[in-house]
Amino acid sequence: MQVDLQHVMKLARVELSAEEQALLGPQLGQILGYIDQLRKVDVSGVEPTAHAVPLVNVMRADEVQPSLPHAEAMRNAPAQRAGLFVVPPVLE
Amino acid sequence: MEYEPAIGLETHVQLKTRSKMWCGCANEFGAPPNTNVCPVCLGMPGVLPVANEEGLRKTVLAGLLFGCEIPPRAKFDRKNYFYPDVPKNYQVTQYDQPSTRAGHLDFEFEGRVTRVRITRAHLEEDVGKNNHFETHSGVDFNRAGVPLLEIVSEPDITSPAMAFEYLNALKEVLIQGGISDCDMEKGMVRCDVNVSVRPRGASELGAKIEIKNLNSFSAARRALEYEIRRQQGVVAQGGRLAQETRRWIDDAGVTELMRSKEEAHDYRYFPEPDLMPMEPGAAWLESVGRGMVELPLARKQRLMQDFQLPASDAQTLATDPALGDYFEKAACGAKAPKAIANWIINNLRAQLAHSGATLALVRFAPGAIAELAGLVDSGKISSKIAQEVFLEMFATGDAPGAIVDRKGLAQVSDTGAIEKLCDEAIAAHPKSAADYRAGNVNALNFLKGQVMKASRGKANPGLAGEILDRKLKA
């Protein structure tokens, strides 16, 4: 099973060396091959499921709880300005 | 060949909840940056989101207001993309099993009731807000995780003006249903538009072009006007349009290419494993349904039919539900609902605006307005005196009848009393009397004014005029 590794790398925003690509490309292919194998199982008559846990309607009441203190929230930020998380310029 | 547009809208509105969708941070506009944030809405590893029931209730209620189907099962999905305002690198949304689908919105456009089908209204989360500096950007995550309802319409809209009216009508329903405050200034409503052109009468849609970055309804209208002209220009010159995403540049009044179909995002949707599906049972749905309100258009039509109100009055009352309720209480069983509507729409609203009070603080019951209108209708007081009585009612909360009695304001229709006042007026103003006799009609009005003044406004003006005329012509 061929994988468009360049596309996957772009989507995941990861950079891989030539060696890593040579190793991971076929491995991803094997994973997809396994999925292909699963596809052959006859699941007609089986309800599709998004979750392994048979739980529904897990909800909480609409109540405000304390947020993090501002300084605490910003603690991991490599850079900040005017209370904001500073990031490279974005325009879209 | 003539090319006609087909327009579909995706409208995002922030739901009116106290807390965010997956955590207890406040859903509040205007707080200092990054103060309504916690590990969940900052996308820290290892956290578990839990759905805010009110967000789900408001989503389903919106669906009910749009006459949507409410599927027995809904679930959440992750929409994956990298952007600094999305701290988790995915946005939680509802992909293939939304909470509501297949509804519609009816609204008035060009004097007719028009229907636009609603494909779906699903629940998702808002993202953070980018602020742009010269060389970098800054992100505020206060908005991240605020419940957001996305209302997707079918491409049933045929003009920018119709899109504008659709948006206004949508907003009105959402406000009256308590779904969202829809405060544009606070960014509570945003929309993307999809627009294509096709030869008139063709059944197939043209290439769909999406326009983003529309922060007001008028921006949506202007962007559509521009974009339709642009697309018609391209096809008129034999060009071909391809699916793409464009951005509206408000200052320049143009759209520009953002990304082509090839560059379209690959969102890799998959079920959100941290959030359990939703199965709204009958009891839950019934309790949500208790929040249903009469739609503004339906109410307008009913007010026109039941109370014979003109469209403009019915519109005013339907747009302000509290005022509409007040009117209906006052007009219930009344002979002349139009007069009651006038009192409420003109006088009561003016006094409320003047005093800064709200309807809830009005000191008299709605029935008092009907009583006041009745006093005028029966001729007990003149309409001029009624204005004075109304002000007194507003100030004291006393019943109009009691005020009329207390202040001696009842209209004098006693011919004897008015005759006397007329004689006095003629005697005091012989020149006017002579003018009238000489054919100057206005002189009678002057004399009538003197009689009204002498009676402190209580004389029946019609009667005073008749008596003066009779005496002067004698």
Side-chain angles (χ1 to χ4, degrees), chain B residues 299-327:
Chain B
R299 185 171 211 182
K300 178 183 175 182
Q301 292 169 332
R302 188 173 56 77
L303 289 173
M304 289 173 72
Q305 191 165 13
D306 291 2
F307 298 100
Q308 288 83 50
L309 291 185
S312 58
D313 286 358
Q315 177 77 38
T316 304
L317 295 169
T319 312
D320 184 339
L323 203 68
D325 291 348
Y326 197 90
F327 166 78

Coordinates of all heavy atoms in Angstrom, one line a residue, chain B residues 299-327:
Chain B
R299 N -46.0 36.0 14.4 CA -46.6 36.9 15.3 C -47.1 38.2 14.5 O -48.3 38.6 14.8 CB -45.7 37.3 16.4 CG -46.4 38.2 17.4 CD -45.6 38.4 18.7 NE -46.5 38.6 19.8 CZ -46.1 38.8 21.0 NH1 -44.8 39.0 21.3 NH2 -46.9 39.0 22.0
K300 N -46.3 38.7 13.7 CA -46.7 39.8 12.9 C -48.0 39.5 12.1 O -49.0 40.3 12.1 CB -45.6 40.2 11.9 CG -45.9 41.4 11.0 CD -44.8 41.7 10.0 CE -45.3 42.8 9.1 NZ -44.3 43.1 8.0
Q301 N -48.0 38.4 11.5 CA -49.2 38.0 10.7 C -50.4 37.8 11.6 O -51.5 38.2 11.2 CB -48.9 36.7 9.9 CG -47.8 36.9 8.8 CD -47.3 35.6 8.2 OE1 -47.3 34.6 8.8 NE2 -46.9 35.7 6.9
R302 N -50.2 37.2 12.7 CA -51.3 37.0 13.7 C -51.9 38.3 14.2 O -53.1 38.6 14.3 CB -50.9 36.1 14.8 CG -52.0 35.7 15.7 CD -51.5 34.7 16.8 NE -50.4 35.1 17.6 CZ -50.6 36.0 18.6 NH1 -51.8 36.5 18.9 NH2 -49.5 36.4 19.3
L303 N -50.9 39.3 14.5 CA -51.4 40.6 15.0 C -52.2 41.3 14.0 O -53.2 42.0 14.3 CB -50.2 41.4 15.4 CG -49.5 41.0 16.7 CD1 -48.2 41.8 16.9 CD2 -50.4 41.1 17.9
M304 N -51.8 41.2 12.7 CA -52.5 41.8 11.6 C -53.9 41.2 11.5 O -54.9 41.9 11.2 CB -51.7 41.7 10.3 CG -50.5 42.6 10.3 SD -49.4 42.3 8.9 CE -50.4 43.1 7.6
Q305 N -54.0 39.9 11.6 CA -55.2 39.2 11.4 C -56.2 39.4 12.6 O -57.3 39.8 12.4 CB -55.0 37.7 11.1 CG -56.2 37.0 10.6 CD -55.9 35.7 10.0 OE1 -54.8 35.2 10.2 NE2 -56.8 35.1 9.3
D306 N -55.7 39.1 13.8 CA -56.5 39.1 15.0 C -56.9 40.5 15.4 O -58.0 40.7 16.0 CB -55.8 38.4 16.1 CG -55.7 36.9 15.9 OD1 -56.1 36.5 14.8 OD2 -55.1 36.2 16.8
F307 N -56.0 41.5 15.2 CA -56.3 42.8 15.7 C -56.5 43.9 14.6 O -56.5 45.1 14.9 CB -55.2 43.3 16.7 CG -55.1 42.4 17.9 CD1 -54.1 41.4 18.0 CD2 -56.0 42.5 19.0 CE1 -54.0 40.6 19.1 CE2 -55.9 41.7 20.1 CZ -54.9 40.7 20.2
Q308 N -56.4 43.4 13.4 CA -56.6 44.4 12.2 C -55.5 45.5 12.3 O -55.8 46.6 12.0 CB -58.0 44.9 12.1 CG -59.0 44.0 11.6 CD -59.5 43.1 12.8 OE1 -59.9 43.6 13.8 NE2 -59.5 41.8 12.6
L309 N -54.3 45.2 12.8 CA -53.3 46.2 12.8 C -52.7 46.4 11.5 O -52.5 45.4 10.7 CB -52.2 45.8 13.8 CG -52.6 45.8 15.3 CD1 -51.3 45.5 16.1 CD2 -53.2 47.1 15.7
P310 N -52.2 47.6 11.1 CA -51.5 47.8 9.9 C -50.1 47.1 10.1 O -49.6 46.9 11.2 CB -51.3 49.3 9.8 CG -51.6 49.9 11.2 CD -52.5 48.9 11.9
A311 N -49.5 46.8 8.9 CA -48.2 46.0 8.9 C -47.2 46.6 9.8 O -46.4 46.0 10.5 CB -47.8 45.8 7.5
S312 N -47.1 48.0 9.7 CA -46.0 48.6 10.4 C -46.1 48.5 11.9 O -45.2 48.2 12.6 CB -45.9 50.1 10.0 OG -47.1 50.7 10.3
D313 N -47.4 48.6 12.4 CA -47.6 48.4 13.9 C -47.3 47.0 14.3 O -46.6 46.7 15.3 CB -49.0 48.8 14.3 CG -49.3 50.2 14.3 OD1 -48.4 51.0 14.0 OD2 -50.5 50.6 14.5
A314 N -47.8 46.1 13.5 CA -47.6 44.6 13.8 C -46.1 44.3 13.8 O -45.6 43.6 14.7 CB -48.3 43.8 12.8
Q315 N -45.4 44.9 12.9 CA -43.9 44.7 12.8 C -43.3 45.2 14.1 O -42.4 44.5 14.7 CB -43.4 45.4 11.6 CG -41.9 45.4 11.4 CD -41.4 44.0 10.8 OE1 -42.1 43.4 10.0 NE2 -40.3 43.5 11.3
T316 N -43.6 46.4 14.5 CA -43.0 47.0 15.7 C -43.3 46.1 16.9 O -42.4 45.8 17.7 CB -43.6 48.4 15.9 OG1 -43.4 49.2 14.8 CG2 -43.0 49.0 17.1
L317 N -44.5 45.6 17.0 CA -44.8 44.8 18.2 C -44.2 43.4 18.1 O -43.8 42.8 19.1 CB -46.4 44.7 18.3 CG -47.1 46.0 18.6 CD1 -48.6 45.9 18.5 CD2 -46.7 46.5 20.0
A318 N -44.0 42.9 16.9 CA -43.5 41.5 16.8 C -42.0 41.6 17.0 O -41.4 40.6 17.3 CB -43.8 41.0 15.4
T319 N -41.4 42.7 16.7 CA -39.9 42.8 16.9 C -39.5 43.0 18.4 O -38.4 42.8 18.8 CB -39.4 44.0 16.1 OG1 -39.9 44.0 14.8 CG2 -37.9 44.0 16.0
D320 N -40.5 43.5 19.2 CA -40.2 43.7 20.6 C -41.2 42.8 21.4 O -42.3 43.2 21.7 CB -40.4 45.2 20.9 CG -40.1 45.5 22.4 OD1 -40.1 44.6 23.2 OD2 -39.8 46.7 22.6
P321 N -40.8 41.6 21.7 CA -41.8 40.6 22.3 C -42.5 41.1 23.5 O -43.7 40.9 23.7 CB -41.0 39.4 22.5 CG -39.8 39.5 21.7 CD -39.5 41.0 21.5
A322 N -41.7 41.8 24.4 CA -42.3 42.3 25.6 C -43.4 43.3 25.3 O -44.5 43.3 25.9 CB -41.3 42.9 26.5
L323 N -43.1 44.2 24.4 CA -44.1 45.2 24.0 C -45.3 44.5 23.4 O -46.5 44.9 23.6 CB -43.5 46.2 23.0 CG -44.1 47.6 22.9 CD1 -43.9 48.4 24.2 CD2 -43.5 48.4 21.8
G324 N -45.0 43.5 22.5 CA -46.1 42.7 21.9 C -47.0 42.1 22.9 O -48.2 42.1 22.8
D325 N -46.4 41.5 24.0 CA -47.2 40.8 25.0 C -48.0 41.9 25.7 O -49.2 41.6 26.0 CB -46.2 40.2 26.1 CG -45.5 39.0 25.5 OD1 -45.8 38.5 24.4 OD2 -44.5 38.6 26.2
Y326 N -47.4 43.0 26.0 CA -48.2 44.1 26.7 C -49.4 44.5 25.8 O -50.5 44.6 26.3 CB -47.2 45.3 26.9 CG -47.7 46.2 27.9 CD1 -47.4 46.1 29.3 CD2 -48.5 47.3 27.5 CE1 -47.9 47.0 30.2 CE2 -49.0 48.2 28.5 CZ -48.7 48.0 29.8 OH -49.1 48.9 30.8
F327 N -49.1 44.7 24.5 CA -50.2 45.1 23.6 C -51.3 44.0 23.7 O -52.5 44.4 23.8 CB -49.7 45.2 22.2 CG -50.9 45.3 21.2 CD1 -51.6 46.5 21.1 CD2 -51.2 44.2 20.5 CE1 -52.7 46.5 20.2 CE2 -52.3 44.2 19.6 CZ -53.0 45.4 19.4

